[in-house]
Amino acid sequence: MIELQNVRITYPTGDGIERVSFRVGPGEFLYIVGPSGAGKTTVLKAIYLDVWPQEGSVQVAEFNSLFMKKKEIPLLRRKLGIIFQDFRLLPDRDVFENIAFVCQVTGRRQKEIKKRVLRALADVGLSHKARKMPEELSGGEQQRVSIARAIVNEPYVLLADEPTGNLDPQTAREIMTVLNRIHIRGTAVIMATHNYEMVKQYSGRVLSIQNGRIL
C-alpha cells in the first residue's frame, strides 16, 4: 500500500503540491494527469522521498516519512521501480550492464543477476538487444530498457514519470502495452502524464492535478 496524507511541498519558486491525499492498493494502476507544472512529478518525488514533505505523511509499504530516518531512504527505494521521461541510461554500459547495475548495488549474486536481467529483457521484448549500447537503440527501445531496469528487482510499485513524453504515438502505445502487461501480472503502477487522451484508452484509476491540488 502507498498512501499520501495531506502532503504539502513548497519550493522557493512557489510551486509544489498542497494537501495531496490518495491511496494506491496492491496491483492497482493509477494515472496522475495534469498540464506541465501541475505538480505531477512532485507527487512522484514525494513517494520516493526525493523531496521530503513539509507537512503530512508518505507511506510506502512499512516505511512512513513521519517515523523513518533519512538514512533509510535507500531501503524504501528498493521497494520502487522508477521510469523517467529521459531514460537515464548509462552511456558507457550496454543494455545488459545497465539493468544488471541495479541488482549489483543491492548486493545480489552474479548468477541471480543474470537470471533476473534476462527475464526483465524478455518481459519488455528486448532479449536480442542485450549487448547493444544505448546509442544504438531507438527512443522506444531505450525506454523499454528503462522499464526492464525498473522491474528487475521486482518492485512493490512502479513509478513512471511521463514515460511516453518523448515518444511518437505508435511507440507510446507500445510502451503502454508493456506497462499494462506488467500491471496485469500484479505490480502496482503510478504513472504521471499530461496525455489524458491516451489515458482514456486504457483501464485504471485517474487522478487529475492542477496547480498542486488534486481535483
Side-chain angles (χ1 to χ4, degrees), residues 88-142:
R88 302 194 185 184
L89 302 179
L90 300 171
D92 60 339
R93 304 186 187 209
D94 65 26
V95 166
F96 186 99
E97 292 165 339
N98 261 278
I99 302 168
F101 178 76
V102 180
C103 296
Q104 291 163 354
V105 298
T106 59
R108 298 189 185 277
R109 295 182 177 181
Q110 193 60 39
K111 185 176 181 180
E112 183 185 2
I113 290 174
K114 182 177 180 180
K115 186 181 300 183
R116 282 177 173 268
V117 172
L118 293 178
R119 184 168 61 234
L121 281 171
D123 285 342
V124 300
L126 287 180
S127 299
H128 59 301
K129 300 280 186 176
R131 290 306 174 186
K132 295 290 186 181
M133 300 299 290
E135 63 185 22
E136 299 178 272
L137 305 177
S138 67
E141 288 170 339
Q142 290 187 60

Short mmCIF file of all heavy atoms in Angstrom, two decimals, residues 88-142:
data_model
loop_
_atom_site.label_atom_id
_atom_site.label_comp_id
_atom_site.label_asym_id
_atom_site.label_seq_id
_atom_site.Cartn_x
_atom_site.Cartn_y
_atom_site.Cartn_z
N ARG A 88 17.65 8.02 -18.87
CA ARG A 88 18.73 8.00 -17.87
C ARG A 88 19.53 6.70 -17.88
O ARG A 88 19.88 6.15 -16.83
CB ARG A 88 18.18 8.29 -16.48
CG ARG A 88 17.46 9.61 -16.38
CD ARG A 88 17.21 10.07 -14.98
NE ARG A 88 16.43 11.28 -14.95
CZ ARG A 88 16.11 11.96 -13.85
NH1 ARG A 88 16.52 11.52 -12.67
NH2 ARG A 88 15.39 13.07 -13.93
N LEU A 89 19.84 6.20 -19.06
CA LEU A 89 20.71 5.03 -19.17
C LEU A 89 22.16 5.45 -19.08
O LEU A 89 22.53 6.58 -19.43
CB LEU A 89 20.44 4.32 -20.50
CG LEU A 89 19.01 3.84 -20.75
CD1 LEU A 89 18.91 3.17 -22.11
CD2 LEU A 89 18.55 2.89 -19.65
N LEU A 90 23.00 4.54 -18.60
CA LEU A 90 24.44 4.81 -18.52
C LEU A 90 25.05 4.62 -19.91
O LEU A 90 25.02 3.51 -20.45
CB LEU A 90 25.10 3.86 -17.52
CG LEU A 90 24.54 3.95 -16.08
CD1 LEU A 90 25.10 2.83 -15.23
CD2 LEU A 90 24.87 5.31 -15.47
N PRO A 91 25.60 5.68 -20.51
CA PRO A 91 26.03 5.60 -21.91
C PRO A 91 27.24 4.70 -22.15
O PRO A 91 27.47 4.25 -23.27
CB PRO A 91 26.36 7.06 -22.26
CG PRO A 91 26.69 7.70 -20.95
CD PRO A 91 25.81 7.03 -19.95
N ASP A 92 28.01 4.43 -21.09
CA ASP A 92 29.22 3.63 -21.26
C ASP A 92 29.00 2.15 -20.94
O ASP A 92 29.96 1.37 -20.86
CB ASP A 92 30.34 4.19 -20.37
CG ASP A 92 29.97 4.19 -18.89
OD1 ASP A 92 28.76 4.15 -18.57
OD2 ASP A 92 30.89 4.25 -18.05
N ARG A 93 27.75 1.73 -20.77
CA ARG A 93 27.43 0.33 -20.47
C ARG A 93 26.37 -0.16 -21.44
O ARG A 93 25.47 0.60 -21.84
CB ARG A 93 26.92 0.19 -19.03
CG ARG A 93 27.88 0.73 -18.00
CD ARG A 93 27.44 0.44 -16.60
NE ARG A 93 28.29 1.11 -15.64
CZ ARG A 93 28.54 0.68 -14.41
NH1 ARG A 93 28.00 -0.47 -14.00
NH2 ARG A 93 29.32 1.34 -13.59
N ASP A 94 26.47 -1.43 -21.81
CA ASP A 94 25.48 -1.97 -22.74
C ASP A 94 24.16 -2.22 -22.00
O ASP A 94 24.04 -1.98 -20.79
CB ASP A 94 26.00 -3.22 -23.45
CG ASP A 94 26.25 -4.41 -22.53
OD1 ASP A 94 25.62 -4.50 -21.46
OD2 ASP A 94 27.08 -5.26 -22.88
N VAL A 95 23.18 -2.69 -22.74
CA VAL A 95 21.84 -2.89 -22.19
C VAL A 95 21.86 -3.82 -20.99
O VAL A 95 21.30 -3.52 -19.93
CB VAL A 95 20.90 -3.43 -23.29
CG1 VAL A 95 19.60 -3.96 -22.69
CG2 VAL A 95 20.61 -2.35 -24.33
N PHE A 96 22.52 -4.97 -21.14
CA PHE A 96 22.60 -5.93 -20.04
C PHE A 96 23.22 -5.29 -18.80
O PHE A 96 22.70 -5.42 -17.69
CB PHE A 96 23.42 -7.15 -20.46
CG PHE A 96 23.43 -8.26 -19.45
CD1 PHE A 96 22.59 -9.35 -19.59
CD2 PHE A 96 24.29 -8.22 -18.36
CE1 PHE A 96 22.59 -10.38 -18.65
CE2 PHE A 96 24.31 -9.23 -17.42
CZ PHE A 96 23.46 -10.32 -17.56
N GLU A 97 24.31 -4.57 -19.00
CA GLU A 97 25.02 -3.96 -17.86
C GLU A 97 24.21 -2.84 -17.21
O GLU A 97 24.28 -2.65 -15.99
CB GLU A 97 26.37 -3.43 -18.34
CG GLU A 97 27.34 -4.54 -18.74
CD GLU A 97 28.53 -4.01 -19.54
OE1 GLU A 97 28.43 -2.91 -20.12
OE2 GLU A 97 29.55 -4.72 -19.57
N ASN A 98 23.44 -2.10 -18.00
CA ASN A 98 22.59 -1.06 -17.44
C ASN A 98 21.58 -1.64 -16.47
O ASN A 98 21.32 -1.08 -15.40
CB ASN A 98 21.86 -0.31 -18.55
CG ASN A 98 22.52 1.00 -18.92
OD1 ASN A 98 22.32 2.02 -18.27
ND2 ASN A 98 23.33 0.96 -19.98
N ILE A 99 21.00 -2.78 -16.85
CA ILE A 99 19.99 -3.40 -15.99
C ILE A 99 20.65 -4.11 -14.81
O ILE A 99 20.17 -4.04 -13.68
CB ILE A 99 19.14 -4.37 -16.82
CG1 ILE A 99 18.47 -3.63 -17.97
CG2 ILE A 99 18.09 -5.06 -15.94
CD1 ILE A 99 17.84 -4.54 -19.00
N ALA A 100 21.76 -4.78 -15.06
CA ALA A 100 22.46 -5.51 -14.00
C ALA A 100 22.94 -4.60 -12.89
O ALA A 100 23.00 -5.00 -11.72
CB ALA A 100 23.64 -6.28 -14.59
N PHE A 101 23.27 -3.36 -13.25
CA PHE A 101 23.80 -2.41 -12.26
C PHE A 101 22.85 -2.24 -11.09
O PHE A 101 23.27 -2.14 -9.93
CB PHE A 101 24.05 -1.06 -12.94
CG PHE A 101 24.55 0.00 -12.01
CD1 PHE A 101 25.85 0.00 -11.56
CD2 PHE A 101 23.70 1.01 -11.57
CE1 PHE A 101 26.31 0.98 -10.68
CE2 PHE A 101 24.15 1.99 -10.69
CZ PHE A 101 25.45 1.98 -10.25
N VAL A 102 21.55 -2.22 -11.35
CA VAL A 102 20.55 -2.05 -10.30
C VAL A 102 20.59 -3.22 -9.32
O VAL A 102 20.41 -3.04 -8.11
CB VAL A 102 19.14 -1.91 -10.91
CG1 VAL A 102 18.10 -1.72 -9.83
CG2 VAL A 102 19.10 -0.75 -11.90
N CYS A 103 20.83 -4.41 -9.83
CA CYS A 103 20.94 -5.58 -8.97
C CYS A 103 22.25 -5.59 -8.18
O CYS A 103 22.29 -6.00 -7.01
CB CYS A 103 20.86 -6.86 -9.80
SG CYS A 103 19.29 -7.11 -10.65
N GLN A 104 23.31 -5.12 -8.82
CA GLN A 104 24.62 -5.13 -8.18
C GLN A 104 24.65 -4.24 -6.94
O GLN A 104 25.26 -4.61 -5.92
CB GLN A 104 25.68 -4.70 -9.19
CG GLN A 104 25.91 -5.73 -10.29
CD GLN A 104 26.64 -5.17 -11.49
OE1 GLN A 104 26.89 -3.96 -11.57
NE2 GLN A 104 26.96 -6.02 -12.45
N VAL A 105 24.00 -3.08 -7.02
CA VAL A 105 24.04 -2.16 -5.88
C VAL A 105 23.25 -2.69 -4.68
O VAL A 105 23.43 -2.20 -3.56
CB VAL A 105 23.54 -0.75 -6.27
CG1 VAL A 105 24.41 -0.14 -7.33
CG2 VAL A 105 22.08 -0.79 -6.73
N THR A 106 22.38 -3.68 -4.92
CA THR A 106 21.65 -4.28 -3.81
C THR A 106 22.34 -5.56 -3.32
O THR A 106 21.81 -6.24 -2.43
CB THR A 106 20.20 -4.61 -4.21
OG1 THR A 106 20.20 -5.51 -5.32
CG2 THR A 106 19.45 -3.34 -4.59
N GLY A 107 23.49 -5.89 -3.90
CA GLY A 107 24.30 -6.99 -3.39
C GLY A 107 23.88 -8.37 -3.83
O GLY A 107 24.24 -9.37 -3.18
N ARG A 108 23.16 -8.48 -4.93
CA ARG A 108 22.74 -9.80 -5.39
C ARG A 108 23.92 -10.54 -6.02
O ARG A 108 24.85 -9.94 -6.55
CB ARG A 108 21.60 -9.68 -6.41
CG ARG A 108 20.35 -9.05 -5.82
CD ARG A 108 19.18 -9.16 -6.78
NE ARG A 108 18.01 -8.46 -6.28
CZ ARG A 108 17.14 -8.96 -5.40
NH1 ARG A 108 17.35 -10.18 -4.92
NH2 ARG A 108 16.10 -8.26 -4.99
N ARG A 109 23.84 -11.88 -6.00
CA ARG A 109 24.90 -12.71 -6.56
C ARG A 109 24.83 -12.70 -8.09
O ARG A 109 23.77 -12.53 -8.68
CB ARG A 109 24.79 -14.13 -6.04
CG ARG A 109 25.02 -14.24 -4.54
CD ARG A 109 24.94 -15.68 -4.07
NE ARG A 109 25.22 -15.80 -2.65
CZ ARG A 109 25.23 -16.94 -1.97
NH1 ARG A 109 24.97 -18.08 -2.62
NH2 ARG A 109 25.50 -16.96 -0.69
N GLN A 110 25.98 -12.92 -8.72
CA GLN A 110 26.08 -12.79 -10.17
C GLN A 110 25.15 -13.75 -10.90
O GLN A 110 24.52 -13.38 -11.90
CB GLN A 110 27.53 -13.03 -10.62
CG GLN A 110 27.82 -12.62 -12.04
CD GLN A 110 27.55 -11.15 -12.29
OE1 GLN A 110 27.83 -10.30 -11.45
NE2 GLN A 110 26.99 -10.83 -13.46
N LYS A 111 25.03 -14.96 -10.41
CA LYS A 111 24.15 -15.94 -11.06
C LYS A 111 22.70 -15.47 -11.04
O LYS A 111 21.96 -15.58 -12.04
CB LYS A 111 24.30 -17.30 -10.38
CG LYS A 111 23.53 -18.41 -11.08
CD LYS A 111 23.79 -19.75 -10.39
CE LYS A 111 23.03 -20.88 -11.11
NZ LYS A 111 23.29 -22.20 -10.44
N GLU A 112 22.28 -14.93 -9.91
CA GLU A 112 20.91 -14.44 -9.79
C GLU A 112 20.71 -13.20 -10.64
O GLU A 112 19.65 -13.02 -11.26
CB GLU A 112 20.58 -14.12 -8.33
CG GLU A 112 19.13 -13.67 -8.16
CD GLU A 112 18.81 -13.23 -6.74
OE1 GLU A 112 19.73 -13.24 -5.89
OE2 GLU A 112 17.65 -12.85 -6.50
N ILE A 113 21.74 -12.34 -10.70
CA ILE A 113 21.65 -11.13 -11.51
C ILE A 113 21.39 -11.49 -12.97
O ILE A 113 20.52 -10.91 -13.63
CB ILE A 113 22.93 -10.28 -11.38
CG1 ILE A 113 23.00 -9.66 -9.97
CG2 ILE A 113 22.97 -9.18 -12.44
CD1 ILE A 113 24.30 -8.93 -9.69
N LYS A 114 22.16 -12.43 -13.49
CA LYS A 114 21.99 -12.82 -14.90
C LYS A 114 20.58 -13.32 -15.16
O LYS A 114 19.95 -12.95 -16.17
CB LYS A 114 23.01 -13.89 -15.26
CG LYS A 114 22.94 -14.32 -16.73
CD LYS A 114 24.01 -15.35 -17.06
CE LYS A 114 23.91 -15.76 -18.53
NZ LYS A 114 24.96 -16.77 -18.89
N LYS A 115 20.07 -14.14 -14.26
CA LYS A 115 18.73 -14.69 -14.44
C LYS A 115 17.67 -13.58 -14.43
O LYS A 115 16.77 -13.55 -15.26
CB LYS A 115 18.45 -15.70 -13.32
CG LYS A 115 17.14 -16.45 -13.46
CD LYS A 115 16.92 -17.40 -12.29
CE LYS A 115 18.04 -18.43 -12.21
NZ LYS A 115 17.80 -19.42 -11.12
N ARG A 116 17.82 -12.64 -13.49
CA ARG A 116 16.86 -11.54 -13.38
C ARG A 116 16.91 -10.63 -14.61
O ARG A 116 15.87 -10.20 -15.12
CB ARG A 116 17.13 -10.74 -12.11
CG ARG A 116 16.64 -11.39 -10.84
CD ARG A 116 17.00 -10.57 -9.62
NE ARG A 116 16.39 -11.10 -8.41
CZ ARG A 116 15.21 -10.72 -7.92
NH1 ARG A 116 14.53 -9.77 -8.55
NH2 ARG A 116 14.72 -11.24 -6.83
N VAL A 117 18.12 -10.31 -15.07
CA VAL A 117 18.26 -9.40 -16.21
C VAL A 117 17.65 -10.02 -17.46
O VAL A 117 16.92 -9.37 -18.21
CB VAL A 117 19.74 -9.04 -16.44
CG1 VAL A 117 19.90 -8.26 -17.75
CG2 VAL A 117 20.27 -8.21 -15.28
N LEU A 118 17.94 -11.29 -17.71
CA LEU A 118 17.40 -11.96 -18.89
C LEU A 118 15.88 -12.03 -18.84
O LEU A 118 15.20 -11.86 -19.86
CB LEU A 118 18.01 -13.35 -19.03
CG LEU A 118 19.51 -13.39 -19.35
CD1 LEU A 118 20.00 -14.83 -19.40
CD2 LEU A 118 19.82 -12.66 -20.66
N ARG A 119 15.33 -12.24 -17.65
CA ARG A 119 13.88 -12.28 -17.51
C ARG A 119 13.27 -10.90 -17.76
O ARG A 119 12.24 -10.78 -18.44
CB ARG A 119 13.50 -12.79 -16.12
CG ARG A 119 11.98 -12.95 -15.93
CD ARG A 119 11.65 -13.71 -14.67
NE ARG A 119 12.14 -13.04 -13.48
CZ ARG A 119 12.92 -13.61 -12.56
NH1 ARG A 119 13.32 -14.85 -12.70
NH2 ARG A 119 13.30 -12.93 -11.50
N ALA A 120 13.90 -9.86 -17.23
CA ALA A 120 13.39 -8.50 -17.44
C ALA A 120 13.45 -8.10 -18.91
O ALA A 120 12.53 -7.47 -19.43
CB ALA A 120 14.19 -7.51 -16.59
N LEU A 121 14.54 -8.48 -19.59
CA LEU A 121 14.65 -8.18 -21.02
C LEU A 121 13.58 -8.90 -21.82
O LEU A 121 13.00 -8.34 -22.76
CB LEU A 121 16.04 -8.57 -21.52
CG LEU A 121 17.17 -7.60 -21.20
CD1 LEU A 121 18.52 -8.21 -21.56
CD2 LEU A 121 16.98 -6.28 -21.95
N ALA A 122 13.28 -10.14 -21.45
CA ALA A 122 12.22 -10.88 -22.13
C ALA A 122 10.87 -10.22 -21.90
O ALA A 122 10.04 -10.14 -22.81
CB ALA A 122 12.20 -12.33 -21.64
N ASP A 123 10.66 -9.69 -20.70
CA ASP A 123 9.39 -9.04 -20.37
C ASP A 123 9.12 -7.83 -21.26
O ASP A 123 7.96 -7.52 -21.55
CB ASP A 123 9.37 -8.60 -18.91
CG ASP A 123 9.20 -9.77 -17.95
OD1 ASP A 123 8.75 -10.85 -18.40
OD2 ASP A 123 9.51 -9.61 -16.75
N VAL A 124 10.18 -7.13 -21.67
CA VAL A 124 9.99 -5.93 -22.49
C VAL A 124 10.32 -6.18 -23.96
O VAL A 124 10.37 -5.24 -24.77
CB VAL A 124 10.84 -4.75 -21.95
CG1 VAL A 124 10.43 -4.41 -20.53
CG2 VAL A 124 12.34 -5.04 -22.03
N GLY A 125 10.56 -7.44 -24.31
CA GLY A 125 10.78 -7.80 -25.71
C GLY A 125 12.13 -7.37 -26.28
O GLY A 125 12.23 -7.11 -27.48
N LEU A 126 13.16 -7.35 -25.45
CA LEU A 126 14.48 -6.90 -25.92
C LEU A 126 15.59 -7.91 -25.65
O LEU A 126 16.76 -7.53 -25.54
CB LEU A 126 14.85 -5.55 -25.27
CG LEU A 126 14.11 -4.31 -25.77
CD1 LEU A 126 14.61 -3.08 -25.02
CD2 LEU A 126 14.30 -4.12 -27.27
N SER A 127 15.26 -9.17 -25.59
CA SER A 127 16.28 -10.19 -25.34
C SER A 127 17.39 -10.14 -26.38
O SER A 127 18.56 -10.41 -26.08
CB SER A 127 15.65 -11.58 -25.32
OG SER A 127 14.69 -11.69 -24.29
N HIS A 128 17.04 -9.77 -27.60
CA HIS A 128 18.01 -9.75 -28.70
C HIS A 128 18.87 -8.49 -28.71
O HIS A 128 19.76 -8.36 -29.55
CB HIS A 128 17.27 -9.85 -30.04
CG HIS A 128 16.29 -8.75 -30.28
ND1 HIS A 128 15.23 -8.49 -29.45
CD2 HIS A 128 16.24 -7.81 -31.27
CE1 HIS A 128 14.54 -7.46 -29.91
NE2 HIS A 128 15.13 -7.04 -31.00
N LYS A 129 18.64 -7.58 -27.77
CA LYS A 129 19.39 -6.32 -27.73
C LYS A 129 20.30 -6.23 -26.50
O LYS A 129 20.83 -5.17 -26.18
CB LYS A 129 18.42 -5.13 -27.70
CG LYS A 129 17.48 -5.04 -28.90
CD LYS A 129 18.16 -4.44 -30.11
CE LYS A 129 17.18 -4.21 -31.24
NZ LYS A 129 17.78 -3.54 -32.40
N ALA A 130 20.54 -7.35 -25.84
CA ALA A 130 21.24 -7.34 -24.55
C ALA A 130 22.63 -6.71 -24.64
O ALA A 130 23.08 -6.07 -23.69
CB ALA A 130 21.34 -8.75 -23.99
N ARG A 131 23.33 -6.88 -25.75
CA ARG A 131 24.70 -6.38 -25.83
C ARG A 131 24.82 -5.12 -26.70
O ARG A 131 25.92 -4.73 -27.10
CB ARG A 131 25.61 -7.49 -26.36
CG ARG A 131 25.81 -8.62 -25.35
CD ARG A 131 26.30 -8.09 -24.01
NE ARG A 131 26.37 -9.12 -22.96
CZ ARG A 131 26.66 -8.88 -21.70
NH1 ARG A 131 26.90 -7.64 -21.31
NH2 ARG A 131 26.70 -9.86 -20.82
N LYS A 132 23.69 -4.48 -26.97
CA LYS A 132 23.72 -3.21 -27.68
C LYS A 132 24.01 -2.07 -26.71
O LYS A 132 23.64 -2.12 -25.54
CB LYS A 132 22.38 -2.96 -28.38
CG LYS A 132 22.03 -3.94 -29.48
CD LYS A 132 22.94 -3.75 -30.69
CE LYS A 132 22.51 -4.63 -31.84
NZ LYS A 132 23.39 -4.48 -33.03
N MET A 133 24.65 -1.01 -27.20
CA MET A 133 24.87 0.18 -26.41
C MET A 133 23.64 1.09 -26.53
O MET A 133 22.92 1.04 -27.54
CB MET A 133 26.11 0.92 -26.88
CG MET A 133 27.39 0.10 -26.78
SD MET A 133 27.79 -0.42 -25.07
CE MET A 133 28.27 1.17 -24.35
N PRO A 134 23.37 1.91 -25.52
CA PRO A 134 22.19 2.78 -25.59
C PRO A 134 22.09 3.60 -26.86
O PRO A 134 21.00 3.77 -27.42
CB PRO A 134 22.35 3.68 -24.35
CG PRO A 134 23.08 2.81 -23.37
CD PRO A 134 24.04 2.02 -24.22
N GLU A 135 23.21 4.09 -27.36
CA GLU A 135 23.20 4.94 -28.56
C GLU A 135 22.77 4.17 -29.81
O GLU A 135 22.41 4.78 -30.82
CB GLU A 135 24.59 5.54 -28.78
CG GLU A 135 25.67 4.51 -29.06
CD GLU A 135 27.06 5.10 -29.15
OE1 GLU A 135 27.27 6.20 -28.61
OE2 GLU A 135 27.93 4.47 -29.77
N GLU A 136 22.80 2.85 -29.73
CA GLU A 136 22.40 2.03 -30.87
C GLU A 136 20.90 1.73 -30.88
O GLU A 136 20.41 1.09 -31.80
CB GLU A 136 23.17 0.71 -30.86
CG GLU A 136 24.68 0.86 -30.98
CD GLU A 136 25.39 -0.47 -30.92
OE1 GLU A 136 25.73 -0.93 -29.80
OE2 GLU A 136 25.60 -1.07 -31.99
N LEU A 137 20.19 2.20 -29.88
CA LEU A 137 18.77 1.90 -29.74
C LEU A 137 17.91 3.09 -30.13
O LEU A 137 18.32 4.24 -30.02
CB LEU A 137 18.46 1.52 -28.29
CG LEU A 137 19.27 0.37 -27.68
CD1 LEU A 137 18.87 0.18 -26.22
CD2 LEU A 137 19.08 -0.91 -28.46
N SER A 138 16.69 2.80 -30.54
CA SER A 138 15.70 3.86 -30.78
C SER A 138 15.21 4.38 -29.43
O SER A 138 15.47 3.79 -28.37
CB SER A 138 14.52 3.31 -31.57
OG SER A 138 13.80 2.37 -30.79
N GLY A 139 14.47 5.49 -29.47
CA GLY A 139 13.92 6.04 -28.23
C GLY A 139 13.01 5.06 -27.52
O GLY A 139 13.06 4.90 -26.30
N GLY A 140 12.16 4.37 -28.29
CA GLY A 140 11.26 3.40 -27.69
C GLY A 140 12.01 2.24 -27.06
O GLY A 140 11.64 1.76 -25.99
N GLU A 141 13.08 1.79 -27.71
CA GLU A 141 13.88 0.70 -27.16
C GLU A 141 14.60 1.15 -25.89
O GLU A 141 14.69 0.39 -24.92
CB GLU A 141 14.88 0.22 -28.20
CG GLU A 141 14.24 -0.56 -29.34
CD GLU A 141 15.19 -0.83 -30.49
OE1 GLU A 141 16.22 -0.11 -30.62
OE2 GLU A 141 14.92 -1.77 -31.26
N GLN A 142 15.09 2.37 -25.88
CA GLN A 142 15.74 2.89 -24.66
C GLN A 142 14.75 2.94 -23.50
O GLN A 142 15.11 2.62 -22.36
CB GLN A 142 16.34 4.26 -24.93
CG GLN A 142 17.56 4.24 -25.84
CD GLN A 142 18.22 5.59 -25.93
OE1 GLN A 142 18.66 6.15 -24.94
NE2 GLN A 142 18.29 6.14 -27.14
#
